C-alpha cells in the first residue's frame, strides 16, 4: 500500500496544531469516519498544510459554483490547494459546524454533512447546509465533490 498507515504522522503547519494520523481499523482498512472528522477539524482550523496532507497528488476538487453542471473543477494538488485557499480568503471566519459523517468502506467513500457559517470580507453573513462526497485511494483523498443548498 502506498498511502499513509497508522503511525505515519502528517506535519501540521504550526507547532500548536493537532497532529493528524490516518487511522486503521483492526482489519487494516482505513478508518474513513476518523479521517472525515480530522478533515473537518483541519478545515475549521484553516490549516491548508494539514488539509492537503490528506489529498493525493492527482486529486480532484469540484465546487458547487461554476459554469458547468459540476460547478468548478480543480485537478492536481497545487490547483486544489489554490481553490481551497480562496474559500478561506473569501470567508475568513468560515466554519463547518453540526458535522455528520457517513461511510461506505466497501467503496472507499464518505460523506460529511455540515452547516457552513462565515462572513465575507464585505461583511455579509453566510449560513448554508451542505455536504462533501469524498473518495479515497490508498488512504488519500482522490476526489472531494461539494454541494450546498441554495439560499434565496
Amino acid at each position: 500500500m502506498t498511502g499513509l498507515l497508522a503511525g505515519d504522522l502528517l506535519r501540521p503547519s504550526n507547532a500548536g496544531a493537532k497532529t493528524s494520523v490516518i487511522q486503521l481499523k483492526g482489519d487494516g482498512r482505513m478508518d474513513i469516519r476518523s479521517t472525515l472528522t480530522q478533515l473537518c477539524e483541519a478545515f475549521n482550523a484553516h490549516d491548508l498544510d494539514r488539509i492537503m496532507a490528506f489529498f493525493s497528488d492527482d486529486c480532484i476538487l469540484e465546487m458547487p459554483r461554476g459554469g458547468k453542471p459540476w460547478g468548478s473543477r480543480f485537478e492536481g494538488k497545487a490547483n486544489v490547494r489554490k481553490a481551497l485557499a480562496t474559500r478561506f480568503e473569501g470567508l475568513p471566519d468560515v466554519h463547518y459546524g453540526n458535522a455528520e459523517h457517513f461511510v461506505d468502506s466497501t467503496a472507499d467513500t464518505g460523506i460529511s454533512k455540515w452547516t457552513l457559517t462565515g462572513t465575507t470580507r464585505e461583511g455579509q453573513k453566510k449560513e448554508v447546509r451542505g455536504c462533501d462526497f469524498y473518495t479515497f485511494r490508498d488512504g488519500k483523498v482522490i476526489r472531494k465533490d461539494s454541494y450546498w443548498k441554495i439560499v434565496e
Side-chain angles (χ1 to χ4, degrees):
M1 180 181 271
T2 60
L4 287 172
L5 301 176
D8 289 343
L9 299 179
L10 304 178
R11 289 178 283 122
S13 65
N14 61 50
K18 181 179 175 185
T19 302
S20 302
V21 179
I22 301 294
Q23 299 291 322
L24 298 181
K25 295 181 184 180
D27 63 1
R29 291 182 59 84
M30 174 185 173
D31 184 345
I32 294 173
R33 186 177 313 280
S34 173
T35 301
L36 294 174
T37 298
Q38 289 182 51
L39 270 163
C40 191
E41 290 169 357
F43 271 96
N44 283 334
H46 300 192
D47 190 336
L48 273 172
D49 289 337
R50 199 164 121 204
I51 293 166
M52 294 313 300
F54 287 97
F55 284 75
S56 68
D57 289 338
D58 62 342
C59 60
I60 295 172
L61 169 67
E62 291 184 345
M63 297 296 284
R65 291 178 192 242
K68 303 287 184 180
W70 53 82
S72 297
R73 182 177 294 147
F74 304 91
E75 298 184 32
K77 203 167 188 174
N79 291 326
V80 168
R81 183 184 179 95
K82 286 178 192 171
L84 293 176
T86 63
R87 166 59 40 88
F88 299 132
E89 291 165 8
L91 291 169
D93 63 344
V94 68
H95 181 81
Y96 299 86
N98 305 314
E100 300 176 76
H101 307 294
F102 306 89
V103 174
D104 182 348
S105 296
T106 305
D108 287 330
T109 60
I111 300 170
S112 291
K113 282 177 54 177
W114 34 257
T115 302
L116 177 148
T117 56
T119 310
T120 67
R121 294 222 177 261
E122 297 76 31
Q124 184 181 15
K125 298 281 187 191
K126 298 284 184 182
E127 181 176 10
V128 64
R129 192 74 173 141
C131 61
D132 292 314
F133 286 75
Y134 287 95
T135 306
F136 297 90
R137 181 185 66 231
D138 296 332
K140 295 280 193 167
V141 175
I142 60 170
R143 180 186 280 299
K144 178 182 185 285
D145 193 358
S146 295
Y147 296 85
W148 62 64
K149 300 289 186 179
I150 298 171
V151 178
E152 300 179 311

